[in-house]
Amino acid sequence: METNNQNNPVLNQEPMMQYHTGEPQALPMMGFWESVRICFRKYFDFKGRARRSEYWWYFLFSVVACLIWALFGTLLLALPVGMAVQHVSGNETAGLTTMIIILCIPLLFLVLPSVSVQVRRLHDTGRSGWWMVASIILEIVAAALPFALFGSDAIDFDFMEEFSRSFELSTAAGVADVGLTIATNAMSIILIVFSIFDSHKTENKYGPSPKYQQETNVCLES
């Protein structure tokens, strides 16, 4: 038996089409707590895009959180525990190491969201997240080089003093360290500059724009 579709309003409605008109419209700026909430929700998310307000509000949150913890964490927890460890062990280095560990562990929870939002911010400007990977590699190499060359003596090693002396091994290491430091700082500046750029107004290969929305009109197809 054939079904009569003449009176069915869904099946009989005319085809509709969408088209975009005008410039993409910017959404309202993301708020402070909204940014922090999103960054922690996307803790392990290195895909997609992040607008400027999301990145910079979380950056501000991280700086304030580090300062607060450095002050109150030191006075209320790290210093008392470190002094107790030093008193029990009789080793000043053990007490100092304990303080550093206590201060660093909570701050490590802020690192990964910082990296992921930086990668998404790069994506938002059309750039690869490998810029962030290159920056991390440079920082690791710059930090590890003195210890790889001089072991524990690297703590008291004055590279700038050696840099002004003869071209011995120590001075060559000093030149390498200075070069890496310059490269690391330059990369940090590059990432900051990239993070200042506005979002791409349209979809790029990393996804749709989190800031701009294209105005959409709907009409009946003739």
Side-chain angles (χ1 to χ4, degrees):
M1 178 181 297
E2 295 184 0
T3 304
N4 185 1
N5 294 328
Q6 294 181 354
N7 297 324
N8 191 321
V10 176
L11 296 178
N12 288 328
Q13 66 181 7
E14 295 186 39
M16 304 179 68
M17 61 180 297
Q18 295 182 346
Y19 63 95
H20 301 298
T21 59
E23 286 292 319
Q25 300 299 312
L27 296 173
M29 186 178 72
M30 186 177 293
F32 177 82
W33 290 114
E34 181 185 5
S35 166
V36 174
R37 184 171 61 253
I38 288 177
C39 287
F40 277 106
R41 191 177 71 225
K42 295 183 177 181
Y43 205 96
F44 301 101
D45 187 357
F46 297 90
K47 299 179 181 179
R49 299 165 59 175
R51 57 187 299 186
R52 282 184 298 192
S53 54
E54 177 183 342
Y55 172 83
W56 287 109
W57 279 131
Y58 183 78
F59 179 84
L60 176 62
F61 167 79
S62 299
V63 171
V64 173
C66 289
L67 291 176
I68 292 175
W69 176 248
L71 176 60
F72 292 99
T74 300
L75 295 177
L76 300 179
L77 184 62
L79 185 59
V81 174
M83 292 180 64
V85 170
Q86 178 179 341
H87 178 73
V88 172
S89 64
N91 189 330
E92 183 178 352
T93 302
L96 181 61
T97 303
T98 302
M99 289 178 58
I100 294 174
I101 292 174
I102 292 174
L103 288 174
C104 287
I105 288 179
L107 299 181
L108 292 177
F109 291 100
L110 300 175
V111 172
L112 195 55
S114 298
V115 174
S116 62
V117 74
Q118 176 72 79
V119 171
R120 296 196 305 273
R121 181 83 268 270
L122 289 168
H123 290 171
D124 192 42
T125 62
R127 293 171 176 82
S128 172
W130 287 106
W131 282 96
M132 187 62 185
V133 175
S135 176
I136 293 174
I137 292 175
L138 277 175
E139 291 179 1
I140 292 175
V141 172
L145 178 63
F147 294 93
L149 293 174
F150 304 105
S152 59
D153 293 336
I155 298 176
D156 301 321
F157 190 83
D158 189 342
F159 286 104
M160 296 308 298
E161 180 181 349
E162 291 295 322
F163 184 75
S164 62
R165 293 182 182 177
S166 61
F167 290 91
E168 299 175 356
L169 172 62
S170 58
T171 302
V175 172
D177 183 76
V178 170
L180 280 171
T181 300
I182 294 173
T184 302
N185 292 334
M187 181 63 74
S188 299
I189 294 173
I190 290 173
L191 290 177
I192 291 174
V193 172
F194 285 165
S195 300
I196 294 174
F197 290 163
D198 195 9
S199 305
H200 278 187
K201 292 186 176 182
T202 56
E203 182 175 357
N204 61 22
K205 64 180 180 179
Y206 302 106
S209 174
K211 177 178 179 179
Y212 292 97
Q213 284 190 344
Q214 188 80 44
E215 183 180 352
T216 302
N217 289 325
V218 180
C219 69
L220 297 178
E221 187 177 32
S222 58

